[in-house]
Amino acid sequence: MTHALTHALPDDVCPDYVCPDDGARADVRTAPWCCPVCAGPWDLDFAPQPPKAVELDSGPNSLWRYGSALPLPGAPAVTLGEGRTPLVPLTGRISAKLDFLMPTLSFKDRGAVMLAELARRLGPERVVADSSGNAGTSVAAYSARAGLACEVFVPEGTSEKKTEQMRAHGARVRVVPGGREAAARAARAAADEPGVFYASHVFNPYFLHGTKTYVYELWEELGGELPEALVVPVGNGTLLLGAALAARELARAGVRAPALIAVQARAMAPLARAFAAGEREPTGPVPDPVPTLAEGIAIPAPPRARQILAAVRESGGTFLTVSEERIRAAQRDLAARGLFVEPTGAACWAAVGPGAPGDPLAGRSAVVPLCGAGAKTGLAP
């Protein structure tokens, strides 16, 4: 499970991996892709201060403007101008951040650019990823930008539009019989081979430090403040955990942290059930995959489940679930407002937008992310 890639990163600029569960540590240059003690995902030993105004004034017009808060210092060689997506009002209290306007039409570019830049510095023979769609297209695009060979493992039934995009970027696409977990197992087997960098948006914490720029952008756009609530779709939790990272970092500078409102499809909601039951992590058998329009968050057993549940509780937030009918209606409602997103990207609007039962935000101001473009999937049937 080791990268065996030892030549590119200086000792003094690369924070160690650290396991959040057992405290095991590893050098990023030679680390296995998961903790060798518990086989869980890594975090980073990294606690930066938010960038100062003078840094933002002179920074690039991309997420790399927050470079002092990112764990890869120095000028990046890999970028497609990602980040700095528009923030537009939907109602008097709710705004939407249009992350479907990223280079590959998905918010996953925020994390993928970090993985590709790290991989470029490590110099692997090839990059391997697993994905149900958007993460794979992002890793394929940024690997191409970095000049790295890329292989993406996807479950059968993955959108042909997304696999076509991966191939267009030069990635080798491996279609794996079975669901999302089967694709992950196949990728992890390949990740154990010599000379491979596993660009896992779940296990590698550099991805989370990329997604946290979503919140840094809100902080900058809102004049040094954050909304009272962030509504976030949750499958593997990469956007939510990135948001929690940024909220903690900004809190050290006196910024009020928002409540995290996590949204899952009712058809596949292991985290929402665990939250309602007061559990630290989901217990019992892993549920069988159930088809849902929100395929991007249909994850039966998220490896970072314990961290996700803790982050929501610590923020004073909650979990909401949405039906397939609500997802369909939300996608159409957003399209009628000029915003065509894929069904997963409409899940948060389904949870808190018009027609949602009660007042799920309890009167708070909020931002919802529109994570993926509708052109990737089309209109939900």
Side-chain angles (χ1 to χ4, degrees):
M1 289 191 296
T2 182
H3 291 151
L5 307 170
T6 61
H7 60 280
L9 291 177
D11 292 334
D12 61 348
V13 298
C14 189
D16 285 342
Y17 288 137
V18 60
C19 178
D21 288 332
D22 55 47
R25 303 179 71 92
D27 188 314
V28 171
R29 298 168 298 175
T30 57
W33 57 263
C34 67
C35 172
V37 178
C38 69
W42 291 113
D43 281 350
L44 282 184
D45 184 8
F46 183 64
Q49 291 294 322
K52 296 179 171 59
V54 65
E55 298 174 68
L56 299 178
D57 290 342
S58 60
N61 189 33
S62 73
L63 62 77
W64 290 103
R65 66 196 288 102
Y66 310 109
S68 63
L70 298 175
L72 284 172
V78 181
T79 182
L80 290 167
E82 54 288 327
R84 305 284 282 166
T85 55
L87 182 66
V88 301
L90 292 176
T91 71
R93 290 189 289 122
I94 305 173
S95 294
K97 188 145 174 65
L98 310 190
D99 261 23
F100 69 92
L101 298 180
M102 298 285 268
T104 77
L105 309 182
S106 161
F107 89 95
K108 295 288 177 63
D109 291 0
R110 293 185 183 276
V113 69
M114 295 292 292
L115 295 183
E117 176 65 16
L118 175 61
R120 184 194 68 80
R121 299 183 188 195
L122 290 170
E125 294 176 13
R126 77 184 196 277
V127 170
V128 164
D130 57 276
S131 170
S132 59
N134 285 336
T137 61
S138 288
V139 170
Y142 283 95
S143 293
R145 191 69 172 175
L148 297 168
C150 179
E151 186 175 22
V152 184
F153 291 80
V154 302
E156 58 186 354
T158 298
S159 164
E160 290 185 7
K161 293 181 180 179
K162 293 179 181 180
T163 56
E164 181 182 23
Q165 187 179 0
M166 295 174 204
R167 293 188 178 98
H169 293 308
R172 182 178 184 182
V173 177
R174 296 290 194 98
V175 179
V176 179
R180 182 68 182 80
E181 294 302 308
R185 287 192 297 271
R188 291 165 194 167
D192 289 337
E193 299 172 8
V196 171
F197 176 80
Y198 183 27
S200 172
H201 60 292
V202 180
F203 280 80
N204 194 304
Y206 278 85
F207 194 94
L208 304 182
H209 282 270
T211 61
K212 78 181 181 185
T213 61
Y214 172 86
V215 171
Y216 272 104
E217 288 180 17
L218 291 177
W219 166 68
E220 186 179 359
E221 288 160 337
L222 296 174
E225 297 181 350
L226 290 173
E228 294 170 292
L230 293 176
V231 187
V232 186
V234 174
N236 277 311
T238 55
L239 183 55
L240 184 138
L241 291 173
L245 270 174
R248 286 195 294 271
E249 292 168 9
L250 288 165
R252 291 197 288 270
V255 180
R256 184 200 62 215
L260 299 175
I261 311 297
V263 177
Q264 293 204 291
R266 193 168 297 161
M268 179 57 69
L271 294 169
R273 287 194 293 273
F275 183 88
E279 299 169 348
R280 290 182 64 211
E281 59 187 324
T283 57
V286 175
D288 292 331
V290 177
T292 173
L293 295 170
E295 61 183 7
I297 52 173
I299 307 299
R304 293 187 183 269
R306 186 180 299 180
Q307 289 178 280
I308 296 166
L309 289 163
V312 173
R313 290 190 174 109
E314 288 167 9
S315 77
T318 191
F319 272 81
L320 302 174
T321 62
V322 290
S323 67
E324 301 302 291
E325 293 75 19
R326 285 289 302 156
I327 293 170
R328 285 190 187 91
Q331 188 191 29
R332 285 167 170 76
D333 182 78
L334 287 168
R337 298 168 187 261
L339 301 166
F340 186 35
V341 301
E342 61 183 359
T344 301
C348 289
W349 188 234
V352 301
D359 182 6
L361 293 173
R364 293 172 290 197
S365 63
V367 172
V368 299
L370 302 185
C371 297
K376 290 187 171 224
T377 58
L379 199 63

